[in-house]
């Protein structure tokens, strides 16, 4: 063993992970080009899989379905969701992760992600590493659709999204900076001025607070090509 061999292994592992992500991203974009009927069939197939998984492996949802007198087979299309059982965040909080997390998931392997709580109390969601990767790639696909380019600098002001370093970051591509929503506005301004994002993804309340505290046009601080508001 040597530091050099260790670094080589890490680079190789990073390259393999990056290639896997690029292939998954390619598949996502390929699915977008499917004819409407094929895309609808794929969406329906995956919806049924989610419903079946929830019923078979999540005690909380199985109890909900039984209390409503329906089975997973009753939810066959997105339109059927209106007949499904209703649930609230408070009810899910009260049930706890032992009843709301699938029984096949290993608790120690899950990542707990909190919503920002900007519209109320933060809500904790538990994800597997595969889910986090898929969600991250969906975000990337969305940003590409909006017009983000590999050499853009992306700043996010919202939940404290974990930004995992990737191999392409080392060569200056897809540079990103996450600024937690409740960071003092003066500190947000300082970080934005230093980072100079070309793409800004920000919660509406954070954008309002930022502009209010600036006291001058946003363009005098940063000049993003793309401004995206999300959530809330």
């Amino acid at each position: 063993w040597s530091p050099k061999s260790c670094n080589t292994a890490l680079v190789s592992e990073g390259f393999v992970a990056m290639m896997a992500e690029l292939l998954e991203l390619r598949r996502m974009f390929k699915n977008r080009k499917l004819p409407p009927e094929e895309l609808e069939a794929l969406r329906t197939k995956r919806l049924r899989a989610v419903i079946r998984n929830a019923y078979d492996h999540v005690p909380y949802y199985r109890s909900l379905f039984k209390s409503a007198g329906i089975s997973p087979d009753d939810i066959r299309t997105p339109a059927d969701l209106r007949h499904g059982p209703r649930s609230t965040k408070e009810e899910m909080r009260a049930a706890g992760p032992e009843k709301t997390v699938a029984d096949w998931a290993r608790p120690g392997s899950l990542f707990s992600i909190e919503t920002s709580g900007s519209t109320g109390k933060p809500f904790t969601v538990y994800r597997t590493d595969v889910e986090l990767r898929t969600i991250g790639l969906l975000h990337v696909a969305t940003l590409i659709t909006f017009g983000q380019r590999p050499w853009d600098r992306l700043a996010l002001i919202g939940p404290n999204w974990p930004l995992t370093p990737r191999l392409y970051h080392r060569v200056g591509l897809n540079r990103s900076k996450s600024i937690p929503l409740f960071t003092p506005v003066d500190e947000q301004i300082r970080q934005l001025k230093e980072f100079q994002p070309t793409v800004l993804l920000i919660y509406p309340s954070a954008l309002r607070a930022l502009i209010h505290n600036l006291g001058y046009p946003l363009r005098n601080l940063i000049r993003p090509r793309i401004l995206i508001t999300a959530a809330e």
Side-chain angles (χ1 to χ4, degrees), residues 17-26 133 137 166 168:
M18 182 180 72
M19 292 305 297
E21 290 181 353
L22 289 174
L23 289 173
E24 178 70 8
L25 196 60
R26 178 176 177 272
R133 188 190 74 170
L137 289 173
R166 293 288 189 265
Y168 44 75

Side-chain angles (χ1 to χ4, degrees), residues 155-168:
L156 308 98
I157 302 182
N160 190 17
W161 289 299
L163 297 177
T164 305
R166 293 288 189 265
L167 189 61
Y168 44 75

Side-chain angles (χ1 to χ4, degrees), residues 47-69:
L47 171 65
R48 291 177 184 173
V50 168
I51 295 296
R52 173 54 67 179
N53 176 73
Y55 184 86
D56 289 346
H57 299 287
V58 184
Y60 177 77
Y61 284 111
R62 183 161 56 250
S63 176
L64 273 182
F65 271 84
K66 289 182 177 179
S67 66

Side-chain angles (χ1 to χ4, degrees), residues 10 13-15 17-18 21 161-170 173-176:
L10 288 175
E13 184 179 336
F15 179 77
M18 182 180 72
E21 290 181 353
W161 289 299
L163 297 177
T164 305
R166 293 288 189 265
L167 189 61
Y168 44 75
H169 292 149
R170 297 185 182 183
L173 298 177
N174 290 326
R175 284 177 289 174
S176 302

Side-chain angles (χ1 to χ4, degrees), residues 74-108:
D74 295 321
I75 310 294
R76 302 188 60 81
T77 68
D80 294 332
L81 287 172
R82 72 186 69 178
H83 307 303
R86 302 298 196 270
S87 181
T88 67
K89 288 183 178 180
E90 288 305 321
E91 289 170 340
M92 296 188 73
R93 286 194 187 99
E98 63 277 358
K99 291 186 178 180
T100 56
V101 173
D103 56 20
W104 49 259
R106 293 181 291 110

